[in-house]
Amino acid sequence: MAGSELIISDWCPGCGDFGILRAEESVLKELGVPLQNVVVVTGIGCSGKTGQFMNSSISTVHTLHGRALPYATGIKVANPKLEVIVNVGDGDGLGIGAGHFVNAGRRNLDMAIMLHDNGVYGLTKGQAAPTLKLGEKVKSMPRSNINGEVNPIMLALASGYTFVARAYSYDVNGTKELIKAAIQHKGTALIDILQPCPTYNDINTKEWYEKRIYKMTDIDPIVNDQAETHQKIANAIVKAGEWDDKIPLGVFYRNETVSTYGDRLAANIPNYLSYPPAEQEIERDGIPSTLIEKLVSTRRVLIE
Amino acid sequence: MHMVRITWVIGGPQGTGVDTAANLFGDAIAKAGYYIYGNREYYSNIKGKHSYFTITISDAPTSSISDDIDVLATFEPETVFQHFRQVKGTLLYDKNMEGAKLENALLMENEIKHDVAQVLSSHGLDETVGGALNYLKNNGITVIPIDFDSTLTMIMNEVNQSSTVVGRAKNVIAVAASYGMLGLDKKFLLAAVSSVFKKEEYRKINSLAVEYGIIQVQPKYSLEALPTNGSRLRVDGNYMSAMGKIFGGLRLQTYYPITPASDESDFIEANQLLDVESEKQELRKAGAVVLQMEDEIAAVNTAIAACLTGVRASTATSGPGFSLMPEGIGWAGMNEVPLVVTYYMRGGPSTGLPTRSGQTDLKFALNVGHGEFPRIVLASGDHMEVFRDAFWALNLAEKYQTPVIHLIEKTLANSYSIIDEGPFNYNALRISRGKMVKASESYRRFEFSDDGISPRAALGSGPGRIIHEGDEHNEYGHITEEVNMRFKMYEKRMKKLETADREIPERDRLNVYGDMDSDTIVVTWGSSKLPIIDALDMLKTDGISIGVIQIKMFSPFPKNMVRKLLENKQTIITVESSYTAQAAQVMTENTGIAPTHYILKWNGRMITREEIYKSVRRIKSGATKRIALNGGV
């Protein structure tokens, strides 16, 4: 294949990451976005290898633990013409990267975030991750979890995400549909993708999930008018509280009435979207193109 | 040779226009053809605590300050208490505050209060402004009362404004009275008022403050306007760094608010709509994006990521912020990203002295991050250098595809100098972007090459796959832990610093001043060079001639040239604003040459020219090996 080598993924057999990778790659192909304009940004952990394992010409940036969102932000702001997709784990996105997770919601950049949510830190041998419930003990933990859990859906809603959904990674078709909607959404989209970790999470297994998951049909998640925002968020939060017996999948909330970060930057820099920072010519034959005389003149105290 | 060198100080509570006063005064002096260097000192506080501005007035370019004050302009009691012991010439004060008590200077720090109280009581003087005035009179120092209240009343009678609005002009009355001592034509000060105050009503009030303030004192210095040759600018470090970056093509800057770095980002954002010359010399608009991030971790990583799209991007911070950045900078090293970090040094460790200066972060910058990767570390010594180095840093980062850290101290960031526009000559600078390509089908981001530098393609630039990877990787960017690839890829990255060391002339990595034939050489860096340069002629008068080496680039270090310049020198004095003389340590590590003497200062205040003059004399007399300075307020 072009410009790269075939890399075989090294995830454990049965890992939920396979489904996410497959769904994501096929959506990108189906959407017909030129693949050279797609950038997959990942954090650290098993999910961090998603970009490396894509067998296509999609570019990828494998970043630092918790920092995928600042990287995605830098890429998307510098070149809004790129399609940016973020893959992070629950430890990556909601533990070490929680601050960035919250602040990404405040910006509403046009990008999609896949949260690989398995409740454990796999690569370090199965410690509790931020979505593991208080008191639970998966098999490699020496004692049960004394930290409470964070609800990714509620946190995203509180932080200003404008598309919030949940998928289940073994349901590749369902996951694909949501990924497609997330990419097409104008604004920051989060999909909380539930995934069994067959190696370390012996509580939230395939069997456990499949007894509980269902596709939501009882809420209308779409905000058509800004006046509906608070009510729709409230409805989504109530729905996001469901867990023990029934776990809802699908879109909890979707709001395209909020300006994207790109729109906000364009309000200050009129040609920002058509002539973004990454495309600007800054020199010609080495001669700087920027004219700074006006800025110099403000400091001229003696004129001759 | 400096014929005129006058030290003027104005002080007051933060928020009462001390900076505006200093700007007005400095601009007026500059318009009269003189040079200034102005240093700003302030607390980490919004309103009320003592801030002051020291200005050196000179007939030749000047770059230092003195703690010996020729003219102290005050308009409230605390400034008198803080500075009266420094006055060697004249103190101007509000005649209605003679009875003001030391104990009522509520925001004054207890350590200073106790010290002042002790000095006054030991001389049998009241702990009041009057007591401080008597202290000065007893020492033959002139004190001049200024009638602020009736001056304000006179202004009130001419303008239709409230006493609160007019009352704000106290600072300008103090400026005018002290300006009057110089003997310069008032037209320069009135012109400065016109350019600083844009609103007509304020212009009127402050012009009257000049008219009524200036007549309250008799000229003491009889300065005359000097003939000038060419335009001059009043510049500060934050402005020069921002301008160097803008001219250098910076189009994305990230930051998290922090003193004394944020002013740079604020300036870029305020001026983000840029004029650029495009093909056929047509003008068009461009936009530089400034992103305020949630923390410095986000700031550095967002800037790094922006660089991957081909844009010139950077972040600006100071010590506490840089302390959050090492992991990101390591990623940039591993991924060969042309990141520029502008690092404003302030007093550490921890929150330290947030608004004071220091040179204590050199070794941190040189060693930032775990693992080994090349980084270029540059330190500017004056305002012109700040501009050129900010511009140069962007070139170096792209040429060698590795992080560049540009060190600037708080004292340079916040101080002003007057520079001649002729030598500024920014149009002579050239941008060089290094090896840039579009990603072809067979593109390999980390392709091996003789000089260690691979062709760099921006994300989205072509059909080729671009892989960035913080794990060890092969030429494509795929993760590998295989021994031979690790061996070669590691060496490729490190080789870039050797390439830089070979290509960047050592002469550009340092400056020399004074008499390099002397057997006494001062080695210094950053703003510590400024008082040394101004002390050269003072020492010469005493028959002491010294040479000065200012090291500008610490990685790669100009080791051959430093070694040569220091060959067979008897006395090597290092001058630094730190406890451990970090630059000297780095010099020794690179050259095997250690200093014989140390002049060090770590109290957060700029080194003064007298401190250098006295210290070098003491060292030359054989009195001591290490001098710790503690001047300033």
Side-chain angles (χ1 to χ4, degrees):
Chain A
M1 53 164 295
S4 193
E5 305 153 307
L6 184 70
I7 295 291
I8 306 296
S9 64
D10 61 10
W11 289 317
C12 306
C15 179
D17 286 339
F18 288 107
I20 301 171
L21 172 67
R22 205 147 22 107
E24 197 169 309
E25 237 179 343
S26 60
V27 165
L28 287 168
K29 281 173 189 158
E30 279 171 32
L31 281 173
V33 207
L35 292 185
Q36 75 175 59
N37 288 341
V38 178
V39 182
V40 173
V41 180
T42 64
I44 294 293
C46 298
S47 65
K49 298 178 179 177
T50 306
Q52 281 271 350
F53 295 158
M54 284 188 164
N55 286 319
S56 65
S57 58
I58 294 168
S59 289
T60 188
V61 183
H62 188 191
T63 71
L64 292 164
H65 200 28
R67 316 300 165 210
L69 288 171
Y71 279 85
T73 303
I75 293 165
K76 186 69 183 179
V77 169
N79 190 350
K81 296 175 182 176
L82 296 175
E83 189 68 64
V84 176
I85 297 166
V86 182
N87 288 78
V88 290
D90 58 312
D92 196 26
L94 304 175
I96 190 169
H100 307 310
F101 183 89
V102 169
N103 284 281
R106 295 171 53 215
R107 298 194 183 95
N108 200 34
L109 263 170
D110 191 8
M111 65 185 182
I113 303 167
M114 313 298 143
L115 185 79
H116 297 227
D117 181 358
N118 63 7
V120 291
Y121 286 89
L123 271 181
T124 48
K125 302 196 178 88
Q127 296 84 355
T131 58
L132 193 76
K133 306 288 167 204
L134 176 65
E136 286 186 343
K137 179 184 171 312
V138 297
K139 65 185 180 193
S140 68
M141 289 167 65
R143 296 189 189 281
S144 56
N145 191 11
I146 57 169
N147 291 306
E149 69 281 5
V150 66
N151 184 315
I153 304 287
M154 290 187 191
L155 183 61
L157 290 164
S159 305
Y161 283 74
T162 51
F163 178 105
V164 182
R166 184 188 281 139
Y168 173 61
S169 72
Y170 285 1
D171 169 20
V172 176
N173 283 333
T175 302
K176 248 181 78 176
E177 263 173 53
L178 287 174
I179 293 178
K180 194 184 276 180
I183 291 174
Q184 287 172 328
H185 172 72
K186 234 170 90 41
T188 304
L190 172 80
I191 311 180
D192 176 28
I193 309 180
L194 303 175
Q195 57 166 143
C197 172
T199 306
Y200 290 111
N201 190 334
D202 53 352
I203 297 174
N204 309 112
T205 60
K206 177 175 186 291
E207 295 69 31
W208 187 91
Y209 275 122
E210 288 175 7
K211 261 186 252 167
R212 292 169 172 82
I213 52 171
Y214 73 99
K215 298 206 173 166
M216 282 183 283
T217 50
D218 51 344
I219 65 165
D220 169 15
I222 298 169
V223 174
N224 296 303
D225 184 313
Q226 280 189 0
E228 302 170 356
T229 305
H230 291 299
Q231 189 56 52
K232 297 268 162 141
I233 288 176
N235 297 347
I237 286 176
V238 170
K239 204 70 197 156
E242 284 185 17
W243 185 261
D244 294 328
D245 305 322
K246 291 176 79 187
I247 301 176
L249 302 180
V251 179
F252 288 80
Y253 177 76
R254 179 171 192 164
N255 184 354
E256 286 191 332
T257 68
V258 179
S259 62
T260 67
Y261 208 51
D263 298 334
R264 297 173 206 171
L265 288 168
N268 289 333
I269 305 171
N271 62 354
Y272 163 72
L273 293 167
S274 61
Y275 193 46
E279 289 185 2
Q280 291 175 27
E281 182 188 272
I282 59 166
E283 52 88 29
R284 180 158 302 225
D285 302 326
I287 298 168
S289 308
T290 316
L291 303 171
I292 57 168
E293 161 55 26
K294 259 193 236 164
L295 295 174
V296 170
S297 70
T298 61
R299 301 294 167 120
R300 207 168 269 138
V301 282
L302 184 73
I303 301 163
E304 273 194 16
Chain B
M1 192 77 176
H2 301 255
M3 304 299 286
V4 177
R5 207 178 246 169
I6 298 169
T7 296
W8 174 91
V9 171
I10 193 163
Q14 215 133 272
T16 57
V18 174
D19 278 359
T20 308
N23 291 354
L24 276 177
F25 185 85
D27 283 6
I29 301 299
K31 285 177 195 302
Y34 288 83
Y35 291 91
I36 60 164
Y37 189 83
N39 184 58
R40 184 174 166 228
E41 291 295 343
Y42 55 104
Y43 278 87
S44 178
N45 153 269
I46 297 174
K47 279 189 181 166
K49 289 207 92 157
H50 178 65
S51 70
Y52 72 98
F53 216 107
T54 306
I55 287 181
T56 299
I57 303 165
S58 180
D59 52 342
T62 185
S63 60
S64 68
I65 56 161
S66 169
D67 282 333
D68 297 340
I69 303 174
D70 295 308
V71 181
L72 174 62
T74 73
F75 51 89
E76 47 73 57
E78 185 176 341
T79 304
V80 175
F81 293 127
Q82 290 264 6
H83 299 283
F84 73 96
R85 287 171 290 170
Q86 294 172 260
V87 180
K88 301 288 181 279
T90 309
L91 179 139
L92 307 182
Y93 69 100
D94 183 344
K95 75 171 217 183
N96 295 316
M97 71 183 188
E98 283 184 26
K101 290 180 179 163
L102 177 63
E103 65 187 63
N104 291 338
L106 295 178
L107 292 181
M108 195 165 163
E109 281 170 330
N110 289 330
E111 291 89 340
I112 306 172
K113 253 188 209 173
H114 293 153
D115 196 26
V116 171
Q118 212 219 320
V119 168
L120 291 175
S121 62
S122 70
H123 286 82
L125 298 165
D126 289 348
E127 293 174 21
T128 61
V129 166
L133 297 174
N134 285 329
Y135 174 94
L136 292 175
K137 286 183 211 160
N138 295 343
N139 285 294
I141 309 285
T142 315
V143 297
I144 301 177
I146 305 295
D147 193 345
F148 284 91
D149 290 350
S150 34
T151 310
L152 290 172
T153 310
M154 283 159 73
I155 300 172
M156 289 263 285
N157 291 339
E158 291 192 40
V159 295
N160 185 25
Q161 296 284 346
S162 72
S163 59
T164 324
V165 170
V166 174
R168 280 193 219 126
K170 262 190 164 180
N171 59 344
V172 179
I173 297 172
V175 164
S178 52
Y179 180 86
M181 293 195 56
L182 303 176
L184 287 167
D185 195 315
K186 69 181 177 188
K187 71 179 180 188
F188 300 115
L189 187 53
L190 286 168
V193 165
S194 294
S195 61
V196 167
F197 295 99
K198 303 292 175 206
K199 276 194 179 164
E200 186 48 42
E201 62 258 41
Y202 296 137
R203 196 176 282 178
K204 181 83 197 286
I205 292 169
N206 289 295
S207 298
L208 289 169
V210 169
E211 298 283 358
Y212 297 143
I214 213 163
I215 51 173
Q216 300 195 30
V217 289
Q218 291 299 314
K220 177 178 175 185
Y221 292 97
S222 60
L223 296 187
E224 278 171 27
L226 297 175
T228 55
N229 181 18
S231 302
R232 289 179 189 166
L233 307 171
R234 176 167 57 79
V235 297
D236 60 81
N238 289 130
Y239 166 83
M240 287 303 248
S241 178
M243 289 292 283
K245 288 179 169 186
I246 291 171
F247 193 54
L250 180 93
R251 291 296 180 266
L252 194 144
Q253 166 113 337
T254 64
Y255 80 108
Y256 181 79
I258 194 165
T259 305
S262 327
D263 287 352
E264 175 188 311
S265 299
D266 286 347
F267 179 88
I268 299 173
E269 187 171 10
N271 297 289
Q272 67 182 172
L273 293 180
L274 302 167
D275 291 327
V276 292
E277 212 164 40
S278 68
E279 215 165 357
K280 299 171 214 150
Q281 263 78 67
E282 275 172 9
L283 270 189
R284 72 176 297 183
K285 290 284 177 190
V289 170
V290 177
L291 299 177
Q292 182 187 328
M293 301 306 295
E294 55 269 26
D295 53 35
E296 285 90 350
I297 300 175
V300 74
N301 289 304
T302 300
I304 291 166
C307 291
L308 305 180
T309 70
V311 72
R312 284 191 159 186
S314 79
T315 187
T317 190
S318 64
F322 195 75
S323 293
L324 295 182
M325 296 184 175
E327 194 189 24
I329 294 170
W331 194 94
M334 186 61 146
N335 280 280
E336 312 198 23
V337 182
L339 169 75
V340 172
V341 181
T342 308
Y343 187 164
Y344 289 92
M345 287 181 291
R346 62 189 220 188
S350 187
T351 313
L353 297 175
T355 60
R356 314 290 179 175
S357 202
Q359 297 185 303
T360 53
D361 301 340
L362 173 64
K363 287 179 75 183
F364 182 32
L366 284 166
N367 295 294
V368 65
H370 61 276
E372 296 174 308
F373 58 91
R375 77 287 309 270
I376 291 172
V377 177
L378 261 178
S380 299
D382 60 38
H383 290 133
M384 197 90 93
E385 284 177 24
V386 170
F387 179 90
R388 288 171 182 273
D389 293 343
F391 184 95
W392 193 22
L394 291 165
N395 278 345
L396 291 168
E398 289 198 323
K399 187 151 191 208
Y400 301 106
Q401 299 183 14
T402 206
V404 176
I405 298 159
H406 179 198
L407 297 167
I408 303 169
E409 295 123 53
K410 173 264 161 182
T411 193
L412 273 181
N414 291 158
S415 62
Y416 291 137
S417 55
I418 298 292
I419 61 166
D420 284 304
E421 217 174 325
F424 184 32
N425 190 25
Y426 57 84
N427 280 318
L429 298 175
R430 291 293 172 267
I431 289 177
S432 136
R433 306 213 59 183
K435 292 184 193 173
M436 268 196 107
V437 296
K438 297 206 181 305
S440 64
E441 297 262 343
S442 59
Y443 182 67
R444 284 170 290 166
R445 171 65 192 95
F446 305 104
E447 191 181 328
F448 291 123
S449 68
D450 290 342
D451 57 8
I453 303 164
S454 315
R456 190 168 67 94
L459 290 168
S461 64
R465 187 177 190 199
I466 301 172
I467 303 173
H468 281 281
E469 177 54 68
D471 284 42
E472 188 56 279
H473 43 256
N474 62 19
E475 289 179 278
Y476 292 106
H478 281 304
I479 298 174
T480 181
E481 297 183 17
E482 190 265 332
V483 288
N484 291 316
M485 184 53 75
R486 165 67 170 178
F487 182 89
K488 282 175 70 180
M489 191 54 74
Y490 199 120
E491 190 175 47
K492 165 205 147 40
R493 279 191 298 274
M494 298 309 291
K495 210 190 276 176
K496 293 186 297 179
L497 197 62
E498 291 156 28
T499 303
D501 195 20
R502 206 170 48 242
E503 292 181 352
I504 306 167
E506 290 202 12
R507 188 61 193 85
D508 296 346
R509 295 185 244 166
L510 54 78
N511 287 321
V512 294
Y513 302 93
D515 173 16
M516 290 306 293
D517 292 330
S518 166
D519 66 359
T520 302
I521 303 293
V522 171
V523 179
T524 191
W525 66 292
S527 67
S528 291
K529 83 157 176 186
L530 300 174
I532 303 171
I533 291 174
D534 274 6
L536 287 176
D537 54 3
M538 297 162 73
L539 287 163
K540 214 168 210 168
T541 313
D542 290 3
I544 300 171
S545 99
I546 58 168
V548 182
I549 303 174
Q550 173 215 350
I551 298 164
K552 280 194 60 182
M553 189 180 279
F554 286 91
S555 172
F557 192 90
K559 51 184 173 296
N560 300 311
M561 199 158 172
V562 170
R563 223 178 261 140
K564 201 162 161 237
L565 290 168
L566 291 179
E567 210 167 39
N568 303 322
K569 299 296 182 188
Q570 266 187 352
T571 307
I572 299 169
I573 308 169
T574 187
V575 177
E576 303 187 44
S577 293
S578 70
Y579 190 91
T580 57
Q582 297 185 10
Q585 292 180 44
V586 176
M587 176 182 81
T588 307
E589 187 181 309
N590 279 279
T591 62
I593 301 170
T596 57
H597 296 80
Y598 297 84
I599 300 173
L600 303 168
K601 188 168 185 175
W602 59 86
N603 70 4
R605 297 344 186 243
M606 190 180 183
I607 300 174
T608 66
R609 53 183 177 265
E610 280 86 8
E611 284 180 321
I612 297 294
Y613 167 73
K614 289 175 193 162
S615 302
V616 171
R617 278 178 48 121
R618 274 181 68 197
I619 285 171
K620 290 296 282 181
S621 71
T624 181
K625 284 216 152 313
R626 179 179 181 272
I627 296 172
L629 304 172
N630 195 20
V633 170

